[in-house]
Amino acid sequence: MIRVSADTLGCRDIPRSLRDDTIKSWTRLPRKLVPWICFVGRLTYQAGGMKIVVRGKQASRSEAPILVLAPHSTFIDGGIVYVTGFPSIIVRRESGLNPFIGKLINYTQPVYVWREDPNSRQNTIKEIIERTTSKEDWPQVMIFPEGTCTNRSCLITFKSGAFYPGVPVQPVCIRYPNKLDTVTWTWEGPGALKLLWLTLTQLNSSCEIEFLPVYNPSEAEKLDPKLYANNVRRLMAEALKIPVSDYTYDDCRIIRKAHQLHLPHASNIVKSHKLRYKLGLVASKTEEELVQKKTTNFGDVNLQEFAQILRLDDKDPTTQQLFRIHDKYGQGKIDLEEYIFTVLATANASSELDKVEIAFDICGSKAALCLTQSELRKALRLSIRMQPEESDSIFQLAKSDESACTVTFDDVMTQLSNRTEYAHLFAANNESSKKAI
């Protein structure tokens, strides 16, 4: 099953040979086969117990070069390609290299994306504009502008990629009106295979696809893709009878990472990230620079000290709002080490072990590469929520000799690895090592 997503706006121009292959695959197979492939695809869904109900009428490419679909909540959404006659999809380049499903994807003449490329956004937008404004016989382009899977309770912020060309779009609403939800696939909850199994075990499930009237942009919307995207989103939300939310794909990515790393207060992390972006802290990596250049430990700071350390204006409402988010007890002070740890862990950690290492860097002396007993307490509390008594026990065992007043990162890791309750810290690392070998 194809997981179509409008994380769309992210990719490098695909190699000319790969693009040529997709075009050749389209011209090599007669287009009269498309209805048959779509028929077989829909039949496969029906055989699995998924009834697809279509409401409204799909517009032609001349009427609407782009199909905008929402909400995007499951990999099963990929089946809409069989309803819409194989439009061009936005898909990761890796999927096109798959020896089996890649051939089918190539047949749709996809817009391939390469997420690792820093120029991805501009290149993908350029490709979408070229196709949708071209007089050549391209198929329609199908985009899920939310950019990620949600639980269908609201429509999150639409990415602007589908709206940059300024051409008419046809909004398409997706519903799963089933008593038991076995399809929703988000960063929390069951995985894809379990959801597929649960869906197949139902006697029947249904998916409703509603084609709304073509949306023709005004002159103001043609000049402002964000305005165009917001207006289309509002129209679709009204048809779906659900609210809109200011959350974006990036917000969902941060929330997902916070949950994976067991970082508390995920919603506050998102709010903090937006404020830091507005203040220029994300681009300048100010907090990371503070850790690299630190000579003494950070402590509790008030608003004025917080602003001075981060080179901000304490009179700026945005600075004040950022400070208040981290002033959990409303005492006019925040733990600067905890603030920096949350920022760096969200940005740089990919595992629990990374969190411990980041906490060591923040709580200890960068020059000495070791921690005192109180510093170790803080580092292990921030990273793995360890109680002080247990931290003190590890400190005593990790000391190189009885007279030592500090411990090294490696010695602490050795002690943690000897404890069953912390084996999960090293599991992912060991798995990566095996793959490398």
Side-chain angles (χ1 to χ4, degrees), residues 309-370:
I309 291 171
L310 296 179
R311 301 189 292 273
L312 301 173
D313 179 6
D314 64 337
K315 306 297 185 192
D316 187 338
T318 306
T319 302
Q320 296 173 2
Q321 189 176 354
L322 178 62
F323 181 85
R324 282 196 300 271
I325 286 176
H326 295 275
D327 182 11
K328 294 182 292 187
Y329 305 107
Q331 297 178 341
K333 287 191 173 184
I334 68 170
D335 184 337
L336 190 60
E337 286 178 341
E338 185 172 349
Y339 162 78
I340 294 175
F341 169 77
T342 303
V343 169
L344 297 190
T346 305
N348 302 328
S350 57
S351 67
E352 295 281 316
L353 202 58
D354 288 343
K355 285 168 53 184
V356 179
E357 190 166 359
I358 289 170
F360 258 73
D361 287 343
I362 294 170
C363 297
S365 169
K366 193 69 177 176
L369 297 175
C370 56

Side-chain angles (χ1 to χ4, degrees), residues 38 114 265 289 413:
C38 292
W114 196 327
H265 312 298
E289 181 185 330
M413 288 300 100

